[in-house]
């Protein structure tokens, strides 16, 4: 016997000729499909109901195939199967199960309509005629709601000469969604290969020259400041050395040139050692000051030379030279050249 409720053996009879063997095969497939359906194995139940209907067509088989699709979330396919059952002509002499299947399909078809989600897609940034719009690979029209099953869907908007824009959207049962896609304006012809204008080049060069001038000025200033500091320290050491020489001259034993050449006694030895240390420090800081001024001058010459050559390459005769100046009482820079 057929295991489906309200579907006895007569339910699978139909006007078209069918053998006892095909009826038995259809009945067995329907029994199997019903067990799978009750177990929640809807994908397998759907296949079995379709196979049964292929053996011997019967509206109840399609009704349960539609119910299987509905439980799988394939609402559009379910609606199509319900529609087939509703639209199928049934003779008055047909089994009651056929009549009941069509009545059930009509009710479930109406209830399903409100559960199917829709998606409306709007694209801005390009003319509608220039946009190729696909939903899950199928061409669709902008601003026209499209029905789709619940779940994730992929939208692709393509404009000639631009990379495709892809969006994914999750649709829920009974929801009407609207997706907006904004396309970047197409670049003007030749814009990508346009060369910078003369003004732009001039501004870029001016920025580089200014950066070089500022960096060189900082280096020059730092070198000059270090030279001044070292000069002051060297002058201080020289002053201390002169005072120390006076102390040694006052010691018993004669002038410092004699005393420190051949110091006698621990006092002379200690004082002469201190004098030599002060003199060494004076020479050390004097040399540091000299090289600081030389570095500052080189930085200034290089900076101004680069800046002037970059700004006026047709006038190579313009140049400036800075020289360090170290004197016993201080130091500084001497500038010369053609300005």
């Amino acid at each position: 016997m057929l295991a489906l409720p309200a579907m006895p053996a007569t339910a699978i009879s139909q006007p078209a000729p069918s053998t006892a063997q095909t009826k038995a095969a259809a009945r067995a497939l329907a029994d199997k499909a019903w067990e799978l359906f009750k177990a929640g194995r809807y994908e397998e139940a759907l296949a079995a109901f379709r196979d049964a209907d292929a053996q011997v067509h019967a509206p109840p088989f399609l009704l349960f195939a539609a119910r299987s699709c509905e439980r799988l979330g394939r609402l559009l396919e379910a609606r199509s199967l319900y529609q087939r059952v509703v639209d199928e002509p049934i003779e008055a002499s047909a089994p009651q199960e056929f009549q009941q299947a069509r009545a059930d399909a009509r009710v479930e078809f109406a209830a399903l309509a409100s559960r199917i989600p829709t998606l409306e897609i709007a694209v801005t940034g390009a003319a509608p005629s220039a946009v190729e719009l696909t939903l899950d690979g199928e061409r669709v029209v902008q601003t026209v709601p499209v029905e789709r099953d619940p779940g994730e869907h992929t939208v692709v908007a393509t404009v000639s000469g631009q990379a495709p824009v892809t969006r994914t959207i999750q649709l829920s049962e009974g929801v009407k969604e609207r997706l907006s896609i904004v396309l970047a304006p197409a670049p003007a012809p030749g814009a990508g290969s346009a060369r910078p204008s003369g003004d732009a080049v001039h501004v870029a060069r001016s920025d580089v020259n200014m950066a070089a001038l500022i960096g060189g000025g900082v280096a020059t200033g730092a070198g000059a400041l270090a030279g001044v500091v070292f000069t002051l320290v060297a002058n201080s050491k020289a002053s201390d050395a002169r005072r120390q020489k006076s102390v040694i001259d006052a010691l018993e034993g004669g002038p410092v040139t004699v005393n420190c050449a051949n110091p006698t006694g621990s006092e002379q030895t200690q004082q002469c050692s201190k004098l030599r240390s002060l003199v060494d420090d004076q020479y050390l800081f004097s040399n540091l000051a000299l090289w600081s001024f030389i570095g500052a001058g080189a930085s200034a010459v290089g900076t101004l030379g680069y800046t002037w050559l970059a700004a006026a390459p047709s006038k190579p005769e313009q140049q400036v030279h800075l020289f360090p100046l170290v004197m016993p009482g201080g130091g500084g820079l001497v500038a010369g050249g053609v300005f």
Side-chain angles (χ1 to χ4, degrees):
M1 289 292 294
L2 191 63
L4 287 173
M7 291 181 61
T10 56
I12 60 175
S13 62
Q14 58 181 15
S18 59
T19 65
Q21 183 179 2
T22 57
K23 289 179 181 180
R27 188 178 300 112
L29 287 169
D31 290 342
K32 175 185 176 183
W34 173 241
E35 294 300 325
L36 292 169
F37 185 88
K38 290 192 300 182
R41 297 163 63 179
Y42 302 116
E43 193 72 56
E44 297 171 77
L46 173 62
F49 280 125
R50 288 185 182 277
D51 289 343
D53 190 68
Q55 291 289 333
V56 178
H57 172 66
F61 295 160
L62 291 183
L63 175 65
F64 275 90
R67 289 171 176 172
S68 299
C69 287
E70 186 175 348
R71 284 159 175 76
L72 288 169
R74 291 151 60 174
L75 305 186
L76 296 178
E77 187 176 357
R79 184 178 65 179
S80 177
L81 290 171
Y82 283 133
Q83 187 72 61
R84 284 180 58 187
V85 178
V86 170
D87 294 343
E88 182 174 344
I90 298 178
E91 296 180 358
S93 60
Q96 177 61 33
E97 288 76 12
F98 284 29
Q99 304 287 349
Q100 186 61 47
R102 185 167 65 175
D104 292 343
R106 184 177 292 110
V107 173
E108 294 175 39
F109 174 83
L112 186 63
S114 62
R115 295 175 52 195
I116 298 176
T118 62
L119 176 61
E120 178 184 342
I121 307 168
V123 180
T124 58
S129 58
V131 180
E132 179 180 319
L133 194 62
T134 62
L135 174 59
D136 300 326
E138 177 186 339
R139 288 287 297 270
V140 294
V141 180
Q142 292 189 47
T143 68
V144 176
V146 181
E147 293 179 326
R148 281 294 184 271
D149 288 327
E152 186 176 271
H153 299 272
T154 301
V155 179
V156 179
T158 306
V159 176
S160 178
Q162 298 186 40
V165 176
T166 303
R167 297 286 185 271
T168 58
I169 186 169
Q170 187 76 25
L171 298 180
S172 302
E173 284 194 15
V175 175
K176 300 182 184 298
E177 293 282 358
R178 189 176 193 275
L179 176 65
S180 296
I181 299 177
V182 180
L183 300 177
S193 60
R195 299 183 61 182
S197 64
D199 290 342
V201 173
H202 177 73
V203 170
R205 288 178 178 174
S206 298
D207 291 342
V208 172
N209 293 344
M210 181 59 68
L213 184 60
I214 293 174
V218 171
T220 301
L225 179 61
V228 171
V229 172
F230 289 143
T231 298
L232 294 176
V233 174
N235 290 342
S236 176
K237 295 296 183 181
S239 178
D240 292 342
R242 285 193 295 271
R243 285 195 295 271
Q244 182 63 22
K245 178 176 177 296
S246 299
V247 170
I248 296 175
D249 286 341
L251 293 176
E252 183 179 356
V256 67
T257 54
V258 177
N259 291 344
C260 285
N262 295 291
T264 59
S266 61
E267 180 66 16
Q268 277 193 4
T269 300
Q270 182 180 359
Q271 295 299 331
C272 286
S273 176
K274 185 177 180 180
L275 176 61
R276 281 194 293 271
S277 177
L278 290 170
V279 172
D280 289 344
D281 288 346
Q282 175 190 354
Y283 286 131
L284 171 64
F285 285 104
S286 295
N287 286 330
L288 290 175
L290 175 63
W291 285 109
S292 295
F293 285 127
I294 291 175
S299 176
V301 171
T303 301
L304 294 177
Y306 169 80
T307 304
W308 288 348
L309 287 175
S314 61
K315 298 180 179 180
E317 70 278 0
Q318 293 182 347
Q319 54 183 327
V320 64
H321 299 284
L322 297 178
F323 303 96
L325 177 63
V326 180
M327 298 180 296
L333 293 174
V334 176
V338 179
F339 296 84

